[in-house]
Amino acid sequence: MSKTIKLAVHGAAGRMGQRVVALAADASESSAADFTVVAAIDHAGHPKIGQDAGTVAGISQIGVPVAADWPGAADVVIDFSLPEALDACVEQCVANAWPLVVATTGLSEAQKNSLANAAHSIPIVWAPSMSLAVNLSMRVAQQITTALRDVAGGLDIEILERHHRFKADAPSGTALKFGELIGEAMADEEPVMHVHGREGHTGQRTRNEIGYHAIRVGDNPGEHTIVFGMLGERIELNVAASNRDCYAAGALAAAKWLVGGNDGQPMPAGLYNMFDVLGMADAAK
Ligand SMILES: NC(=O)C1=CN([C@@H]2O[C@H](COP(=O)(O)OP(=O)(O)OC[C@H]3O[C@@H](n4cnc5c(N)ncnc54)[C@H](O)[C@@H]3O)[C@@H](O)[C@H]2O)C=CC1
Ligand SMILES: O=C(O)C1=N[C@H](C(=O)O)C[C@H](O)C1
């Protein structure tokens, strides 16, 4: 039998952590052949501490309790937690030389810098969306922007995102990443302004801004619409999750890539993203 990847899940009792545990451990899922969940880590005060992580995730027992302690050994760690929980996770991974997938959004600038520092010693995949469809849409958004940025009459770009009412950060990390990539593709002499919502006497829209609008409704697992508005017509690029498994499957693909790379060799230390994992790093922009 081939050796499975020993996976530690950080934030294991959360909405996303549960789906990662389920896809990695549920025998009916194809990814379960690749992984063995060795640790399901969550906050010491979480009410599910001590319960079997499989049961918490809605699958059969896996013999691993949700715990606040880190394991003695792991091949890779997947983090879906909170910004305030991430620093300790990164420290553990650096101390133990564990590759790390960071999916948590809403990080401070200091945390982004410490991720870059940590990536000098361990390989890290960090992306605000692990979804294949979202990452592909980011490339499409860059291409549309490049094609239309000099259109007669001008191009207005606004980013609408919809998420469940429980989401803690706004706008979504994905919306901000769309904006960053689109801003690069706008390549104007003027610096791009990132405008978050509008209210009051705002005056006319300027050419060099990207607008962001964060909608929080019900149980929406994540939807992004990029509006490319011109005089006389518009394009709307919409990418929507039906459930959270697109993110969980993407995180598992990233974990597998860190451990086995493209050629079976572990990835060296460095800061990677989902474009690297999906082989889209050099896609035409
Ligand atoms: N990159 C991506 O594809 C995606 C990223 N996310 C992001 O992942 C994060 C988690 O999202 P959800 O699962 O919906 O949130 P959630 O609130 O359901 O789960 C977070 C979990 O982290 C745990 N946690 C809090 N403090 C901790 C600590 N000190 N140590 C260990 N665990 C701790 C919580 O108890 C909770 O179980 C958010 O930042 C969200 O934006 C969510 C979906 C996709
Ligand atoms: O909190 C969520 O749910 C999600 N967060 C990520 C983000 O902030 O971009 C990714 C996804 O949209 C779901």
Side-chain angles (χ1 to χ4, degrees):
M1 205 170 80
S2 66
K3 188 173 162 293
T4 57
I5 297 166
K6 292 199 276 295
L7 172 68
V9 182
H10 188 239
R15 285 174 289 272
M16 280 307 310
Q18 290 180 39
R19 291 314 301 157
V20 173
V21 169
L23 294 196
D26 187 344
S28 65
E29 298 287 345
S30 56
S31 44
D34 297 323
F35 294 95
T36 303
V37 177
V38 295
I41 303 146
D42 212 287
H43 190 259
H46 197 286
K48 300 283 167 73
I49 289 284
Q51 294 184 27
D52 187 275
T55 310
V56 170
I59 60 169
S60 52
Q61 292 199 1
I62 62 169
V64 176
V66 177
D69 303 325
W70 287 88
D75 293 324
V76 63
V77 175
I78 294 179
D79 163 77
F80 280 96
S81 63
L82 294 173
E84 52 268 40
L86 181 63
D87 296 352
C89 174
V90 174
E91 275 172 33
Q92 282 291 334
C93 291
V94 169
N96 291 285
W98 291 330
L100 170 63
V101 178
V102 178
T104 299
T105 57
L107 307 188
S108 66
E109 288 308 311
Q111 286 182 306
K112 293 175 195 170
N113 289 337
S114 62
L115 271 189
N117 278 337
H120 290 305
S121 52
I122 57 170
I124 298 176
V125 172
W126 169 46
S129 179
M130 301 288 158
S131 143
L132 168 64
V134 166
N135 282 278
L136 189 56
S137 300
M138 286 175 175
R139 287 303 195 213
V140 174
Q142 286 177 296
Q143 288 174 343
I144 295 174
T145 307
T146 304
L148 294 179
R149 65 188 171 206
D150 298 321
V151 70
L155 173 68
D156 302 324
I157 304 177
E158 303 264 323
I159 300 172
L160 285 60
E161 57 99 331
R162 297 169 205 231
H163 282 86
H164 52 94
R165 68 167 74 120
F166 310 103
K167 185 161 176 58
D169 55 317
S172 67
T174 304
L176 293 170
K177 190 69 182 178
F178 265 111
E180 178 191 321
L181 295 170
I182 288 168
E184 286 166 17
M186 281 164 72
D188 213 17
E189 298 90 56
E190 304 256 334
V192 174
M193 289 194 334
H194 299 272
V195 176
H196 297 276
R198 287 192 186 83
E199 190 187 26
H201 189 76
T202 57
Q204 288 189 8
R205 192 188 195 285
T206 59
R207 287 284 294 271
N208 59 326
E209 64 190 62
I210 299 175
Y212 298 82
H213 308 278
I215 297 161
R216 295 289 172 265
V217 281
D219 56 357
N220 192 320
E223 178 172 356
H224 293 82
T225 305
I226 319 302
V227 184
F228 299 88
M230 293 160 282
L231 298 181
E233 56 185 348
R234 73 172 185 280
I235 298 170
E236 297 200 6
L237 176 63
N238 177 264
V239 54
S242 315
N243 59 51
R244 294 186 165 79
D245 286 6
C246 55
Y247 312 122
L252 288 168
K256 198 175 165 187
W257 182 81
L258 283 174
V259 173
N262 299 317
D263 53 3
Q265 296 303 310
M267 292 305 294
L271 191 56
Y272 304 100
N273 56 37
M274 282 306 281
F275 293 140
D276 297 309
V277 175
L278 296 168
M280 294 195 288
D282 300 321
K285 294 179 189 171

